[in-house]
Amino acid sequence: MKIPALSGLIQRRILINYRVEPAVLRKLLPAPFEPRLFGNYGIAGICFFDLSQLRIKGLPLSPCISAQIVSHRIAVNWEESGIKKEGLYITQRDTSSTLVHFSGGRFFPSEYSLTGMKFRESFGYYELHLGGHHPTSFLAKESADFAEGSVFSGLPAAASLFAQNSMEYAPRYENMVFDGIAFRASRHKVQPLHICQMRSSFFENEENFPRGSVFFDHALLMKNIRSEWIALPEMLAPKPSRFLAPAFSRQHREGKLRSGQ
């Protein structure tokens, strides 16, 4: 089924990025993806979207929905028809929206785990609590200063990687197929965030990220971004890999097996 283009307003977008030893990321990425390097490190992180006015692009009478989405992702390179591409590999997408969850693969590319999520903004502070497969929580506050020690030279360099446009691929069918989406955003202000508290079961899992292989790098905040999402042709994996298939895929299939469907 062809996924329609979507448009909407991102009321808040928060990016929390880590620098990671490239050898560690290579073990987590299925072919054909390779970690994109910034100095001696790859970059992986967490992206929070607070969406409103989400609708099918070009259909002004289509219903609008609101949703909160959290993605775990890795900056990657790959080759397509001999051409080097740059984008993001999504290991997991979570949403608080039942509609987005059940529309995954129909109106929204790839799959979304339906996950308990609490977000609060107050006087320049931002707090998130995410349950599910990768429990995550953070408390951040607006800042005028970009993070010290980052692999990026400053705010403009970091913002250019994630803030404007990107191609994203996420696994489906145990990494045998990758759903693609092009994210396009209007020009907008990007500002630093200072992380007061941070817990991530994904990045704190020493089986995937051995001690000393992953470090917090920086966090960014964007607000009121007019955006659109356009589906890309799916990509077939050259070699199936079962490692990072979304939890929803396994639960969905196991549920069908138990029910005898």
Side-chain angles (χ1 to χ4, degrees):
M1 177 178 177
K2 182 176 175 58
I3 305 296
L6 303 173
S7 64
L9 176 68
I10 300 175
Q11 294 181 318
R12 306 165 192 84
R13 186 185 184 199
I14 294 174
L15 303 176
I16 300 175
N17 290 319
Y18 295 79
R19 56 186 184 271
V20 187
E21 295 286 348
V24 171
L25 292 180
R26 288 190 180 98
K27 294 180 180 179
L28 303 181
L29 289 168
F33 301 102
E34 286 285 329
R36 184 179 173 189
L37 300 185
F38 303 85
N40 296 322
Y41 291 96
I43 293 291
I46 299 165
C47 176
F48 168 76
F49 282 111
D50 187 13
L51 297 167
S52 67
Q53 303 175 27
L54 192 60
R55 65 172 71 213
I56 297 174
K57 183 182 177 183
L59 293 180
L61 297 181
S62 62
C64 290
I65 65 171
S66 298
Q68 293 177 335
I69 295 172
V70 173
S71 298
H72 287 72
R73 64 228 200 116
I74 301 170
V76 293
N77 296 320
W78 70 95
E79 281 196 7
E80 191 174 320
S81 302
I83 300 174
K84 186 177 181 179
K85 304 278 189 172
E86 297 176 346
L88 300 166
Y89 178 78
I90 310 298
T91 67
Q92 174 81 15
R93 281 191 177 109
D94 295 276
T95 182
S96 59
S97 168
T98 302
L99 180 59
V100 171
H101 167 65
F102 284 109
S103 298
R106 298 175 178 86
F107 293 99
F108 296 88
S110 77
E111 298 170 339
Y112 296 74
S113 294
L114 184 60
T115 306
M117 194 181 306
K118 293 182 179 179
F119 176 76
R120 184 176 66 168
E121 175 184 356
S122 179
F123 299 103
Y125 282 81
Y126 303 85
E127 184 177 7
L128 175 72
H129 295 276
L130 173 74
H133 190 56
H134 295 312
T136 300
S137 64
F138 65 75
L139 175 64
K141 67 176 181 179
E142 296 178 11
S143 173
D145 301 317
F146 186 67
E148 294 184 3
S150 171
V151 297
F152 297 95
S153 59
L155 179 62
S160 67
L161 175 62
F162 295 113
Q164 202 68 24
N165 304 316
S166 65
M167 291 190 294
E168 303 176 359
Y169 280 91
R172 183 163 49 92
Y173 300 139
E174 299 288 6
N175 286 5
M176 291 187 291
V177 176
F178 304 108
D179 286 327
I181 187 170
F183 169 67
R184 299 175 181 173
S186 61
R187 298 188 65 86
H188 53 276
K189 180 181 177 182
V190 182
Q191 64 186 96
L193 275 180
H194 172 73
I195 300 298
C196 306
Q197 299 174 15
M198 181 74 210
R199 295 299 306 269
S200 168
S201 63
F202 182 70
F203 290 104
E204 293 170 11
N205 182 349
E206 293 188 5
E207 291 185 6
N208 296 339
F209 299 93
R211 186 182 297 270
S213 68
V214 57
F215 307 90
F216 169 78
D217 194 83
H218 68 275
L220 304 175
L221 170 68
M222 289 140 272
K223 289 185 175 182
N224 300 320
I225 314 165
R226 285 288 172 187
S227 306
E228 60 183 47
W229 295 262
I230 300 172
L232 300 171
E234 66 182 20
M235 185 190 303
L236 298 179
K239 182 173 68 173
S241 168
R242 299 175 63 86
F243 184 71
L244 279 177
F248 170 67
S249 299
R250 294 192 294 273
Q251 295 165 356
H252 183 64
R253 283 191 298 277
E254 289 168 2
K256 284 188 173 182
L257 289 173
R258 285 195 296 269
S259 65
Q261 296 179 4

